[in-house]
């Protein structure tokens, strides 16, 4: 069964910590995405990558960075976590032009205290 | 710019009743259109997609959707809802100048009454 795996379901971090969220896909997809999901705001794109070592800013990149050293892995980094980054983080992958849709991971619920 | 509107924030239907969730999009050409479902605390799962051909598409879990270009709509339907269908549903659009990025609607929460 093909899948996107996010390393943690729940995380609790302290303000100011550096936080790494990991995402791995086993479908050989070129494109990978990080979204955050908040009640009333829907899904908002943070960063995406269409190839190894390539990255593009999404709609809300401030306070985040990403790394894609291998095709199957896309990491989201919170350089200095803040309470307003408490959210559900969703990783997704896709192939080609996007007409086949996304495969999502199960999400990471991050709480920053 | 591409956009997706789901007019209903939440809908309640009785188990066994039919369901229609509305989705309108704004786009300059034929888009790629999708419906996703999200159960509480989970990621999104692709229900169905449209990118060409027959405008009535079948998906998983007994869902279908119809692409109507003249109305810029892609409504999701199910003839008989089961309690396990209670979830949040997202319409999405991709393609064109947006490339492979997908724009999601705000979602519609479905409640199912016994």
């Amino acid at each position: 069964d093909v899948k996107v795996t996010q390393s943690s379901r729940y995380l609790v971090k302290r303000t100011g910590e550096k936080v790494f969220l990991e995402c791995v896909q086993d479908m050989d997809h070129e494109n990978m995405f990080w979204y955050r999901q908040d009640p009333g705001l829907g899904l908002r794109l943070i960063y995406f990558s269409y190839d190894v070592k390539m990255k593009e800013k999404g709609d809300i990149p401030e306070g985040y960075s990403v790394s894609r050293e291998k095709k199957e892995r896309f990491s989201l980094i919170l350089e200095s976590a803040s309470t307003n980054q408490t959210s559900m983080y969703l990783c997704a992958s896709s192939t080609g032009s996007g007409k086949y849709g996304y495969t999502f991971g199960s999400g990471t619920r991050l709480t920053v205290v | 710019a591409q956009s997706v509107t789901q007019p209903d924030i939440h809908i309640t239907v009785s188990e066994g009743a039919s369901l229609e969730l509305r989705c309108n999009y704004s786009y300059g050409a034929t888009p790629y259109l999708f419906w996703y479902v999200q159960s509480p605390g989970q990621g999104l799962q692709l229900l169905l997609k449209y990118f060409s051909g027959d405008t009535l598409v079948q998906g998983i879990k007994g869902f279908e959707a119809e692409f109507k270009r003249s109305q810029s709509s892609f409504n999701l339907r199910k003839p008989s809802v089961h309690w396990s269908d209670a979830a949040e549903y997202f319409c999405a659009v991709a393609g064109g100048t947006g490339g492979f990025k997908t724009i999601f609607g705000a979602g519609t929460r479905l409640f199912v009454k016994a």
Side-chain angles (χ1 to χ4, degrees):
Chain A
D1 191 19
V2 294
K3 61 175 63 173
V4 175
T5 302
Q6 294 184 232
S7 54
S8 304
R9 291 299 306 276
Y10 301 95
L11 275 180
V12 180
K13 297 293 182 180
R14 296 196 178 277
T15 301
E17 277 193 77
K18 190 169 186 175
V19 181
F20 294 86
L21 302 183
E22 305 288 345
C23 176
V24 177
Q25 52 97 1
D26 64 1
M27 296 164 285
D28 201 35
H29 284 174
E30 314 87 81
N31 312 316
M32 296 188 74
F33 307 83
W34 276 106
Y35 286 86
R36 64 177 283 178
Q37 183 179 24
D38 301 287
L41 297 177
L43 278 75
R44 293 180 291 167
L45 181 63
I46 305 171
Y47 267 96
F48 64 100
S49 168
Y50 51 86
D51 201 354
V52 177
K53 297 192 185 292
M54 305 299 288
K55 59 186 179 185
E56 295 282 344
K57 292 180 180 179
D59 301 317
I60 52 162
E62 296 78 20
Y64 303 94
S65 62
V66 290
S67 172
R68 191 160 181 209
E69 295 297 317
K70 294 185 178 181
K71 189 174 186 179
E72 67 270 18
R73 186 180 296 271
F74 192 36
S75 303
L76 180 68
I77 303 156
L78 285 66
E79 298 291 344
S80 178
S82 64
T83 55
N84 63 14
Q85 292 178 310
T86 291
S87 185
M88 169 71 100
Y89 289 87
L90 293 168
C91 176
S93 71
S94 75
T95 187
S97 61
K99 67 182 180 181
Y100 303 111
Y102 286 2
T103 302
F104 279 88
S106 297
T108 296
R109 173 75 64 186
L110 173 67
T111 302
V112 182
V113 298
Chain B
Q2 295 168 243
S3 67
V4 179
T5 302
Q6 293 180 248
D8 304 304
I9 296 172
H10 54 80
I11 282 182
T12 301
V13 299
S14 298
E15 192 168 17
S18 63
L19 171 70
E20 183 168 28
L21 301 182
R22 296 182 292 163
C23 174
N24 293 99
Y25 66 90
S26 174
Y27 197 73
T30 301
Y32 306 143
L33 294 162
F34 310 90
W35 276 98
Y36 291 84
V37 60
Q38 185 181 33
S39 298
Q42 299 295 316
L44 280 69
Q45 181 184 20
L46 182 65
L47 278 177
L48 48 77
K49 57 185 178 284
Y50 170 82
F51 52 83
S52 67
D54 192 345
T55 56
L56 183 64
V57 294
Q58 303 295 321
I60 61 171
K61 303 178 189 269
F63 285 92
E64 66 178 27
E66 186 171 13
F67 169 55
K68 292 186 177 180
R69 185 191 303 275
S70 61
Q71 298 177 20
S72 297
S73 70
F74 189 57
N75 294 348
L76 181 71
R77 300 194 293 249
K78 188 170 185 179
S80 177
V81 168
H82 187 262
W83 64 266
S84 60
D85 293 323
E88 189 151 24
Y89 292 81
F90 292 90
C91 183
V93 62
T97 56
F100 44 79
K101 284 193 297 177
T102 298
I103 307 298
F104 290 86
T108 298
R109 171 77 63 181
L110 173 65
F111 298 95
V112 180
K113 322 190 271 190

